[in-house]
Amino acid sequence: MSEAEVGATAKRTNIAPFDNKEKLGVWFFLGGEVILFGTLILTYSLFRITYADQYALFRSNLSIPLIGANTFVLITSSYFVVRALQAVKQDRLNAFLANLLVVLVLGSIFIGGQAYEWSQLFGEGIKLDNTFGSAFFIVTGIHGTHVLVGLAWASIVLLFGTGNAYNSRNYRAVEFFGLYWHFVDIVWIVLFSLIYLL
Amino acid sequence: MSTRPMEQEQPRAVTFSVVFGILAIFTILEIVVGYLATLPSGIKIAILVFLAVVKVALVLLYFMHLKFDSRIFALPFALGIVLAIPISLIVTLTMNQRPFSVEAKAVNMTGQVIDVKEVSFQITLSQYTAQAGPVTFHIVNGADDMLHEFIIFETDLPPDELPTDMSGRVKEDALTILTAAEDIPPSHSRDITVNMGAGHYVMICNLPGHYEQGMRVEFNVTGTSNQPPSTPEEPAQPTEAPTQVPGATQGS
């Protein structure tokens, strides 16, 4: 690759943020997701304020230690996404792949924890026909689906990564996956407080 | 020549590690605060909201690079939050509400009418005394997803000292039941008219766990009635008039 070509590539991939239409597009996509989760979260909040006594009864079925650990797992996975992005920006490709693999493992653990929680709740008779049961399963289910989508996305990035598709001049795909994953993390931070702690 | 705002200062690896450390510590703090039952609820909510907001801000600013990127990227995010507020209000306001102030009254109520509201787990009466004679109890199950019942015992025992079995349910056989309205569906009402003599009564919901959790209340009847009071052997015919609370879903 000639010096001019390298320069052109650098200009394309390391452009100013304001000029990065692709990245702005990702943020607009996340804005749409904010509307979805924002509506769910605010509606859930108003609902539990209205039926506070019944919510208190429902919440007694939830396990804070289990989901607290799960929250820690998801936050840690976000940190490893940051590490993966840093690694690819520095052309440390093995470190990039290793960190992304950790993200996949941690995300899977999170999903496993949520599946275990759901099975426990089903065992206690809390199902979709219960008012707060339905709200709980819808909100956490939609979030869990986003985590699953994130895991599929991470797997694709990992697959391309093993084929040396990314490097310090071409890391946008990793960055965009990271933005999505961090957003899913943010949603969980709010849900954890709203559903389990407050 | 104009200079374009490139991705300005790049954070060092240690910055991300510090942010992760703060997120981890805050998560532990949240769990601890969540468990502190002695903490006043206002303070608890304030602390938990503060911790969550800081965590969200840290992820946005550092992990999602908003601190180092153009501020314009934050615009769609903020717009999403602004749009979510009216949408959630519309959803909430159009949801099925169950106002208790507009309850339908049964047509065959006689004598004194006492409004009874049952929620999980409390029984509230419009008045706790009555004159001897026919009394109609207009019972509303205000719970959203739980059956309740309404049993009237004629007893001298205080409401929290009724004999219970191993499961915590009141031993109905050991007491004198005046009348009962069983299994009132959520958001439904039922009317019971019973002839009550002077005395002390306790009213409860005896579904598993409900009595123990506070669904019990005492009721006193004074004076004398022209009609003899009901007895367990010959109970006054309770006129049950199942009515549905306006706005409630059929068959709920």
Side-chain angles (χ1 to χ4, degrees):
Chain A
M1 187 182 282
S2 70
E3 198 173 317
E5 284 172 329
V6 170
T9 306
K11 202 171 183 177
R12 234 182 4 257
T13 56
N14 195 24
I15 56 177
F18 184 77
D19 291 345
N20 191 338
K21 292 183 178 65
E22 288 175 348
K23 194 168 178 178
L24 189 60
V26 173
W27 275 99
F28 265 105
F29 163 71
L30 294 180
E33 294 283 90
V34 168
I35 296 174
L36 169 69
F37 280 107
T39 303
L40 284 171
I41 288 166
L42 287 170
T43 305
Y44 193 96
S45 306
L46 293 169
F47 201 50
R48 58 165 289 183
I49 289 168
T50 309
Y51 301 102
D53 55 341
Q54 290 163 55
Y55 185 74
L57 185 70
F58 166 77
R59 216 190 75 174
S60 65
N61 295 293
L62 303 177
S63 168
I64 295 178
L66 169 70
I67 300 305
N70 231 17
T71 304
F72 188 79
V73 165
L74 199 61
I75 287 172
T76 307
S77 74
S78 247
Y79 174 60
F80 275 91
V81 169
V82 171
R83 287 170 57 100
L85 182 60
Q86 278 191 306
V88 77
K89 280 180 174 178
Q90 295 163 4
D91 282 326
R92 294 184 292 116
L93 298 184
N94 286 337
F96 157 64
L97 294 174
N99 282 303
L100 204 56
L101 199 60
V102 173
V103 173
L104 271 170
V105 171
L106 292 174
S108 302
I109 290 172
F110 178 85
I111 287 293
Q114 196 170 41
Y116 177 76
E117 183 197 32
W118 279 32
S119 68
Q120 293 290 104
L121 291 174
F122 281 136
E124 289 166 15
I126 296 172
K127 297 189 171 71
L128 279 166
D129 56 358
N130 176 290
T131 304
F132 275 107
S134 59
F136 170 84
F137 288 123
I138 287 169
V139 173
T140 57
I142 291 175
H143 178 267
T145 306
H146 276 72
V147 176
L148 284 173
V149 170
L151 287 174
W153 193 342
S155 303
I156 293 167
V157 172
L158 187 67
L159 196 68
F160 278 96
T162 52
N164 292 323
Y166 311 116
N167 52 48
S168 59
R169 286 165 283 111
N170 180 19
Y171 55 80
R172 286 297 180 199
V174 183
E175 187 178 17
F176 295 163
F177 158 70
L179 286 173
Y180 174 82
W181 192 261
H182 297 317
F183 172 75
V184 172
D185 186 21
I186 281 177
V187 171
W188 188 253
I189 287 171
V190 177
L191 290 181
F192 178 55
S193 294
L194 175 67
I195 297 175
Y196 297 88
L197 300 175
L198 284 171
Chain B
M1 192 179 75
S2 65
T3 56
R4 295 196 305 181
M6 300 293 285
E7 291 180 352
Q8 301 98 344
E9 48 172 323
Q10 287 299 313
R12 291 181 301 155
V14 68
T15 307
F16 293 122
S17 299
V18 169
V19 169
F20 171 63
I22 295 170
L23 290 171
I25 290 167
F26 275 26
T27 302
I28 294 166
L29 274 176
E30 282 178 330
I31 295 168
V32 171
V33 171
Y35 264 118
L36 284 178
T38 53
L39 214 57
S41 64
I43 294 174
K44 196 172 174 176
I45 290 169
I47 293 172
L48 288 172
V49 169
F50 170 78
L51 292 172
V53 167
V54 172
K55 284 170 71 180
V56 167
L58 285 174
V59 174
L60 271 171
L61 292 173
Y62 289 91
F63 285 6
M64 296 178 83
H65 259 241
L66 272 185
K67 181 174 166 57
F68 313 102
D69 283 351
S70 169
R71 292 288 184 270
I72 200 163
F73 292 138
L75 196 65
F77 205 86
L79 199 63
I81 294 171
V82 170
L83 284 173
I85 293 170
I87 293 172
S88 64
L89 281 175
I90 291 167
V91 170
T92 308
L93 292 174
T94 53
M95 274 197 311
N96 191 13
Q97 298 294 314
R98 297 171 175 84
F100 294 105
S101 56
V102 290
E103 293 151 12
K105 301 285 185 186
V107 290
N108 52 355
M109 290 177 177
T110 55
Q112 304 155 87
V113 177
I114 311 284
D115 285 320
V116 182
K117 183 176 175 181
E118 293 189 301
V119 293
S120 306
F121 296 92
Q122 193 177 15
I123 298 175
T124 312
L125 308 183
S126 57
Q127 58 189 76
Y128 294 85
T129 57
Q131 290 293 313
V135 180
T136 295
F137 292 92
H138 176 63
I139 310 151
V140 173
N141 179 359
D144 190 50
D145 56 0
M146 197 174 286
L147 283 176
H148 284 304
E149 61 181 18
F150 188 71
I151 303 175
I152 304 176
F153 294 110
E154 188 171 5
T155 175
D156 291 329
L157 294 170
D160 56 349
E161 290 183 14
L162 302 187
T164 55
D165 60 19
M166 295 288 284
S167 67
R169 297 180 72 181
V170 171
K171 292 178 180 173
E172 297 178 5
D173 293 344
L175 293 163
T176 304
I177 296 178
L178 187 66
T179 189
E182 295 180 338
D183 295 342
I184 306 169
S187 307
H188 280 65
S189 69
R190 194 172 296 171
D191 301 319
I192 299 176
T193 301
V194 62
N195 196 32
M196 301 182 85
H200 180 262
Y201 299 85
V202 172
M203 297 151 181
I204 70 162
C205 173
N206 206 22
L207 292 177
H210 292 202
Y211 169 75
E212 278 188 323
Q213 292 185 74
M215 295 195 71
R216 53 187 185 239
V217 66
E218 64 184 330
F219 190 80
N220 289 297
V221 177
T222 57
T224 54
S225 170
N226 295 332
Q227 301 171 30
S230 304
T231 63
E233 291 77 20
E234 192 181 352
Q237 291 299 315
T239 50
E240 298 191 20
T243 55
Q244 194 176 358
V245 178
T249 310
Q250 283 286 349
S252 61

